[in-house]
Amino acid sequence: MNPRRQRLLLIFAGLGVLGLIAALVLNALRSNLVFFFSPSQVIAGEAPGGGTFRLGGLVKEKTLRREADGVTISFVITDRTHDVPVRYQGILPDLFREGKGTVVQGRLDGGVLVASEVLAKHDENYTPPEAAQIMGGGQMPREKAGQTLPSVMSP
């Protein structure tokens, strides 16, 4: 083989290895992506039927039920338009309350979201614009009672 063919073979082999690495990285990223949906979007069928996703909204009042085993909890997440029942097995965060915002991650099973993780919203002063729009609040105020809300980044 002459040196030119060796160089071309080496370049094509290098490109093949880079392509394989890129495909593996993209596949790993795609399998770890978790999308956020509102209860209205879940009811409309926009959420993946068999895949994991996050559901955000308010815990509906008077829907929190604990099973006799003490670890299984069921409740309903609402966006004030539609409701999605949730079942979770584990310990809830300390800030988890009825009427407060929460995000749960899990899979749909027969119309019930079987949650693997429950996150409680810790501060009612700030809501991401996407979540505020989903909840029907539109734009969140920049000031509250004449005070500027704390910034996300502190010096």
Side-chain angles (χ1 to χ4, degrees):
M1 235 194 267
N2 63 20
R4 182 175 180 198
R5 282 192 176 190
Q6 285 179 341
R7 240 179 309 170
L8 283 175
L9 184 62
L10 187 60
I11 289 172
F12 285 129
L15 288 175
V17 168
L18 285 175
L20 179 64
I21 290 171
L24 290 173
V25 167
L26 290 174
N27 186 34
L29 287 175
R30 186 173 11 138
S31 64
N32 288 325
L33 281 179
V34 180
F35 293 102
F36 177 87
F37 294 94
S38 71
S40 294
Q41 291 172 313
V42 172
I43 298 297
E46 295 176 25
T52 299
F53 64 95
R54 286 189 175 180
L55 172 69
L58 298 175
V59 180
K60 193 169 183 178
E61 296 284 341
K62 298 180 175 126
T63 62
L64 185 63
R65 304 278 184 258
R66 294 186 188 273
E67 300 287 326
D69 64 5
V71 217
T72 306
I73 298 119
S74 62
F75 54 93
V76 174
I77 300 259
T78 184
D79 61 0
R80 297 187 181 124
T81 305
H82 292 96
D83 300 340
V84 175
V86 177
R87 188 174 63 239
Y88 176 66
Q89 200 166 29
I91 299 171
L92 291 172
D94 291 337
L95 296 173
F96 184 87
R97 304 268 185 276
E98 289 180 339
K100 299 293 182 182
T102 190
V103 175
V104 295
Q105 180 174 320
R107 296 174 183 257
L108 276 178
D109 182 20
V112 175
L113 183 82
V114 179
S116 59
E117 184 177 12
V118 175
L119 306 168
K121 188 173 176 186
H122 67 84
D123 189 8
E124 297 298 326
N125 289 333
Y126 173 75
T127 300
E130 297 85 8
Q133 187 176 19
I134 287 171
M135 295 304 295
Q139 292 292 331
M140 294 302 292
R142 294 284 178 202
E143 295 183 5
K144 184 176 182 181
Q147 297 177 352
T148 304
L149 296 177
S151 67
V152 175
M153 300 177 69
S154 59

